[in-house]
Amino acid sequence: MAPRRQGAAGALEDSDTRGCCVPSECLRPREPVRFEDAVRVLCNNDTCAAGRYMHRACFEQWEVGVLAYLKSCGRARSWSERQRHQNLWTKKGYDLAFKACGCRCGRGHLKKDLDWAPPGSVARADEEKKRRRRTRPGRTPAAGDGRARAFSLSSSGSCSPPSAPSEPSTSPTHQPQHALTPAKRNSKVEIVSDRIRAGAGANGIFSRRLDFSTFNLLPKHKVNSYQIKIEDEGNHGNDDTRLFILSTLAGQHKPRVTCALCEDTLHVFDRYPLVDGTFFLSPKQHTSGAVEVKVEGRTQYLTCVCMGCLERCDPERTIRCRFCSQKWDGASLVLGTMYSYDIFMATPCCADRLKCNSCYKPLLHPQQRLNYSDYSHPVTCPHCRVLDTHFVKPLTYCFTKRAYPVFQQWP
């Protein structure tokens, strides 16, 4: 291997290092990797020429996707977030997660070099310890940690559509999802130019959202934390819903998803809001892009709808019931998170949507209504006794983009 030397201003220079070797798109493509801000990785392909160093910020983002994948693997499912962090680059965790660590060379897998430390890091660590000892005991840090927070999380409410009351909808992996409330009264959201980073590669790495400018599409009164999910529910970013989505997509090597209605491609982000739209689980695979998952022993499909279709931004995005011509409206749904039921089937508008999938007889009285999530559950038809998710039907059967209802016998 060619010898390494330190170039001007601390940049790394050698024939084996060709800038940042992060498998996804580099966050700082024009900046050289420097010792003081570098993480060294090793590839198990002896002929790999992709490089050995990453910018620390690039490595940390890449590591998020690997951790999300690890959460879905074997015994790691029972580990705490702290244990996954501790075990990831040791044999205990890496043996489970290496498939999410593909190298740019395409023939090997990357692993963090735990034995490498940047030159001078020991001296800096000693200086930091001395500085801390000089700090007066009992001194507390200044209020505020320098992070600009546009929104914060409330501990009440549910992620059900807020347009009508309902019981809280249960997430597939934890307690009911929570709604969002503003961090400060009368706080305003600062929207800047759209600089969302491009999506990552097929190794489970997701984009890092740099601002919220894509939500300029919304009316101003909706740009708030009631309408957009911003922060994790758990401590230190340990949110089961977020990790469930990221681990599911990482396992399928899907850093992007497709809208179920318009088929636009959407980037998936590593923090809330996870997508410029919303995810939901359905017992029916509405599109080929929906990802099959197992939730409490039941087969479900993780599906996405973009913000434009939810908001019906133009007539081309408006869908209507084939039977009564009523428009479907998803504008009340919280963006950037996931619903544990089929959002298209949660508010049936007419009696034709309430028929059995087998004998086509009505399952409910015309005035009878269920909770949002109950329409996605299996029920037994009182007429033919067939057990099925009868209220969940194909989108093409229930909806049309035409202005007038068009009846179509199903299936």
Side-chain angles (χ1 to χ4, degrees), residues 193-301:
S193 62
D194 190 1
R195 296 179 291 113
I196 296 177
R197 189 176 65 82
N203 56 2
I205 308 305
F206 303 98
S207 298
R208 173 67 52 91
R209 191 185 292 275
L210 301 180
D211 58 57
F212 300 97
S213 61
T214 55
F215 296 104
N216 281 332
L217 178 68
L218 299 172
K220 289 184 179 180
H221 70 275
K222 286 189 175 182
V223 184
N224 58 60
S225 54
Y226 290 102
Q227 196 69 27
I228 307 169
K229 184 168 177 62
I230 298 297
E231 294 189 355
D232 292 340
E233 296 172 10
N235 295 328
H236 310 296
N238 184 18
D239 182 282
D240 286 343
T241 298
R242 180 178 64 85
L243 293 178
F244 170 78
I245 294 172
L246 296 184
S247 61
T248 297
L249 296 177
Q252 297 288 326
H253 305 291
K254 285 182 173 287
R256 303 174 186 86
V257 291
T258 303
C259 174
L261 294 181
C262 68
E263 299 185 353
D264 281 355
T265 299
L266 306 173
H267 293 286
V268 179
F269 298 92
D270 59 356
R271 288 290 187 271
Y272 288 118
L274 297 176
V275 70
D276 295 340
T278 196
F279 288 101
F280 68 92
L281 293 175
S282 174
K284 184 171 292 293
Q285 188 175 18
H286 292 305
T287 68
S288 59
V291 179
E292 181 177 340
V293 294
K294 288 289 186 180
V295 179
E296 298 178 350
R298 294 173 53 198
T299 298
Q300 302 273 22
Y301 293 91

Side-chain angles (χ1 to χ4, degrees), residues 354-357 359 361-365 368 379-388 390-391:
L354 303 175
K355 293 182 178 180
C356 171
N357 288 345
C359 67
K361 294 181 179 180
L363 297 170
L364 300 174
H365 296 294
Q368 187 178 357
V379 295
T380 301
C381 175
H383 308 287
C384 64
R385 311 305 299 173
V386 171
L387 176 66
D388 193 7
H390 292 290
F391 301 114

Side-chain angles (χ1 to χ4, degrees), residues 113-360:
D113 187 353
L114 299 178
D115 297 327
W116 183 81
S121 60
V122 175
R124 287 196 299 271
D126 292 340
E127 180 62 27
E128 178 66 15
K129 290 179 181 179
K130 293 178 181 178
R131 187 190 65 79
R132 289 178 181 176
R133 282 197 292 266
R134 290 196 298 267
T135 303
R136 288 187 303 171
R139 185 175 181 180
T140 57
D145 59 1
R147 293 177 56 193
R149 289 178 175 242
F151 312 102
S152 68
L153 183 67
S154 168
S155 60
S156 62
S158 71
C159 203
S160 298
S163 56
S166 73
E167 65 179 14
S169 61
T170 304
S171 166
T173 53
H174 72 314
Q175 289 83 15
Q177 302 181 52
H178 299 291
L180 298 166
T181 57
K184 295 182 180 180
R185 195 173 184 180
N186 299 325
S187 62
K188 296 182 179 180
V189 183
E190 182 179 354
I191 303 296
V192 294
S193 62
D194 190 1
R195 296 179 291 113
I196 296 177
R197 189 176 65 82
N203 56 2
I205 308 305
F206 303 98
S207 298
R208 173 67 52 91
R209 191 185 292 275
L210 301 180
D211 58 57
F212 300 97
S213 61
T214 55
F215 296 104
N216 281 332
L217 178 68
L218 299 172
K220 289 184 179 180
H221 70 275
K222 286 189 175 182
V223 184
N224 58 60
S225 54
Y226 290 102
Q227 196 69 27
I228 307 169
K229 184 168 177 62
I230 298 297
E231 294 189 355
D232 292 340
E233 296 172 10
N235 295 328
H236 310 296
N238 184 18
D239 182 282
D240 286 343
T241 298
R242 180 178 64 85
L243 293 178
F244 170 78
I245 294 172
L246 296 184
S247 61
T248 297
L249 296 177
Q252 297 288 326
H253 305 291
K254 285 182 173 287
R256 303 174 186 86
V257 291
T258 303
C259 174
L261 294 181
C262 68
E263 299 185 353
D264 281 355
T265 299
L266 306 173
H267 293 286
V268 179
F269 298 92
D270 59 356
R271 288 290 187 271
Y272 288 118
L274 297 176
V275 70
D276 295 340
T278 196
F279 288 101
F280 68 92
L281 293 175
S282 174
K284 184 171 292 293
Q285 188 175 18
H286 292 305
T287 68
S288 59
V291 179
E292 181 177 340
V293 294
K294 288 289 186 180
V295 179
E296 298 178 350
R298 294 173 53 198
T299 298
Q300 302 273 22
Y301 293 91
L302 181 64
T303 313
C304 183
V305 185
C306 75
M307 179 168 53
C309 290
L310 292 172
E311 292 290 324
R312 299 182 303 176
C313 295
D314 56 69
E316 294 298 321
R317 295 179 184 266
T318 299
I319 59 173
R320 301 168 180 268
C321 174
R322 284 185 175 272
F323 306 100
C324 68
S325 197
Q326 181 171 322
K327 296 178 181 179
W328 181 82
D329 186 9
S332 61
L333 299 174
V334 178
L335 300 173
T337 184
M338 184 190 76
Y339 287 82
S340 60
Y341 54 83
D342 193 315
I343 59 176
F344 291 109
M345 309 300 162
T347 53
C349 51
C350 60
D352 290 284
R353 300 272 300 278
L354 303 175
K355 293 182 178 180
C356 171
N357 288 345
S358 180
C359 67
Y360 311 112

Side-chain angles (χ1 to χ4, degrees), residues 23-42:
S24 59
E25 184 172 337
C26 178
L27 297 177
R28 304 171 183 172
R30 298 182 180 181
E31 296 182 19
V33 182
R34 304 181 184 282
F35 273 125
E36 64 269 18
D37 186 39
V39 175
R40 187 171 189 262
V41 293
L42 302 174

